[in-house]
Amino acid sequence: MKVLISTDIEGVAGVYHPEQTRQGNPEYERARLLMAQEANAAIAGAFDAGADEVLVNDSHGGFRNMPPDVLDPRARVVQGKPRYLSMVAGVEEGVDAVCMVGYHSRAQGRGILAHTINSFAFAGVSLGGRELGEAGLYGALAGEYGVPVVMGSGDDVFIAENRGLFPQAVFVETKKATGNTSGVSLSPERAREAIRAGVQVALSSRAKVLPLVFEGPQTVTLRTQTAALADLFCQWPGFERVDGVTLRFVAADVESAVRMLNCCSAMSSMLR
């Protein structure tokens, strides 16, 4: 059994504030270690369940947060950007299951540090009329490779948003959101214990879990944070302006949609 663990930071126990997620802040240095420790818990759970090989994908920001020498040496580490498959890079290697650790709710959701891909640029992303966060987008991308999402961890809002997309998955609640930058968290130790156990249970029953598959071309609707960002993104041929802050485009599949969204995210840096 080959497992991909995709690890973000906003859903990690004890993380509440943007300073904890951005390089250059003293609090970030502690938070990146908490992120790595939750990844290690998931890696341990995967091997407990009989995994032969584990890849851990650093899926936050610049994709180089977790110090490699802190991670469980039994796993291979996917870091750095750009990469075509972004938060699920490694799924193309023929993995059997994806676990999402430290994930968060979608843009303008009520979860802790809620956003979708780029908090500066994106106010909402929909595929075929379905409002999705990162878990939905990348879960559907994994589904195009025939790989199911079997486990996810994060706050209670993240879980509520995604349980319908992944009804057979095991979810681990690391904290409860009381606001965008506040909540009530398990201790890091308790969160790691729950993640390890959750991954083991999820992988032990993975044969029953179906991939999330969105068939055919995808109509993508992107709401931007400002009209200037919509102006910028609509420089792409094929983008249709819907209103001041909303645009639409058609992608051949989920992978094409995600790659285009990540191109827009990168473009947005010129307006910061």
Side-chain angles (χ1 to χ4, degrees):
M1 176 172 58
K2 191 171 184 177
V3 180
L4 175 65
I5 297 166
S6 175
T7 310
D8 208 344
I9 199 169
E10 287 87 358
V12 167
V15 173
Y16 301 103
H17 195 275
E19 286 186 1
Q20 294 175 279
T21 71
R22 296 173 183 162
Q23 294 182 10
N25 294 291
E27 289 191 64
Y28 166 77
E29 295 302 323
R30 178 57 184 151
R32 70 196 293 220
L33 293 178
L34 295 175
M35 178 186 180
Q37 289 161 354
E38 289 200 0
N40 280 340
I43 294 166
F47 282 111
D48 291 345
D52 302 300
E53 187 174 353
V54 175
L55 290 87
V56 61
N57 179 320
D58 190 325
S59 297
H60 173 69
F63 296 167
R64 49 186 179 86
N65 303 276
M66 298 183 291
D69 58 336
V70 173
L71 291 168
D72 188 323
R74 293 176 293 175
R76 289 192 294 133
V77 186
V78 182
Q79 291 186 302
K81 69 185 333 182
R83 54 192 192 220
Y84 292 159
L85 302 183
S86 189
M87 296 179 77
V88 290
V91 75
E92 74 281 10
E93 292 196 17
V95 302
D96 298 294
V98 172
C99 300
M100 295 178 166
V101 174
Y103 270 58
H104 51 81
S105 73
R106 62 180 177 245
Q108 299 191 347
R110 299 189 65 180
I112 296 168
L113 299 172
H115 68 280
T116 302
I117 299 177
N118 186 321
S119 58
F120 166 75
F122 297 169
V125 176
S126 298
L127 266 62
R130 295 172 290 249
E131 184 92 8
L132 299 173
E134 291 168 16
L137 289 167
Y138 288 101
L141 177 50
E144 287 191 336
Y145 284 78
V147 183
V149 173
V150 300
M151 178 270 180
S153 72
D155 69 22
D156 57 323
V157 180
F158 156 73
I159 293 171
E161 286 179 359
N162 289 285
R163 197 179 292 281
L165 288 174
F166 309 108
Q168 300 155 310
V170 173
F171 285 98
V172 173
E173 184 181 300
T174 57
K175 53 194 175 185
K176 291 185 182 295
T178 57
N180 184 254
T181 55
S182 65
V184 181
S185 178
L186 296 178
S187 70
E189 181 180 4
R190 293 295 188 195
R192 293 193 293 268
E193 291 172 355
I195 288 167
R196 181 172 183 169
V199 169
Q200 182 178 11
V201 169
L203 291 174
S204 297
S205 58
R206 67 178 174 80
K208 303 175 184 177
V209 184
L210 299 175
L212 175 64
V213 177
F214 294 164
E215 299 286 356
Q218 298 298 312
T219 299
V220 182
T221 302
L222 172 61
R223 286 184 289 111
T224 62
Q225 296 285 7
T226 67
L229 286 159
D231 293 341
L232 175 65
F233 299 156
C234 283
Q235 299 300 311
W236 281 102
F239 279 32
E240 173 193 359
R241 190 71 169 264
V242 178
D243 60 31
V245 294
T246 308
L247 57 91
R248 184 182 297 124
F249 64 93
V250 176
D253 49 28
V254 174
E255 181 174 339
S256 299
V258 168
R259 288 173 65 172
M260 185 57 73
L261 288 167
N262 283 320
C263 285
C264 290
S265 176
M267 287 173 65
S268 73
S269 63
M270 72 174 292
L271 294 182
R272 282 185 180 269

